[in-house]
Amino acid sequence: MFVLELTYTAPLERIDAVLPEHVAWLDAHYASGTFLASGRKEPRDGGVILAVGEDRSVMEQLVATDPFVMAGVCEYAVTQFVMTKTAPALDAYRQR
């Protein structure tokens, strides 16, 4: 399991210009089952994605394809963790 933390490195006008492509990228990874939850941080200086995966290098390659990264408007911090306790709705993702 991964927490993907985005930090914007450009003004919001540049973020908003790339936002439709970023949302389409998110949608594709929700459809594949890789992303479980996402949203913007408050204050709006980045975002957070909860992602399923087993290999850190694969996850780092994935975030490099984010249109935000490709446009040079954000950076990612990739944190891998072992999800040993969950709410019932996330039980299928619990790692033992």
Side-chain angles (χ1 to χ4, degrees), residues 12 17 30 35 47-48 54 56-57 60-61 70 76:
L12 288 178
Y30 274 107
F35 292 168
V48 175
E54 295 186 23
R56 181 183 187 87
S57 65
E60 289 171 345
Q61 291 171 6
M70 296 173 73
Y76 271 89

Side-chain angles (χ1 to χ4, degrees), residues 24-41:
W25 178 82
L26 288 171
D27 289 344
H29 292 293
Y30 274 107
S32 74
T34 302
F35 292 168
L36 300 179
S38 62
R40 66 177 63 163
K41 293 191 282 187

Side-chain angles (χ1 to χ4, degrees), residues 8-22 40 44-46 67-68 71-74:
Y8 296 152
T9 59
L12 288 178
E13 301 80 41
R14 288 191 53 210
I15 300 298
D16 289 339
V18 186
L19 188 59
E21 292 88 355
H22 172 73
R40 66 177 63 163
R44 189 179 172 205
D45 60 3
F68 278 173
V73 299
C74 91

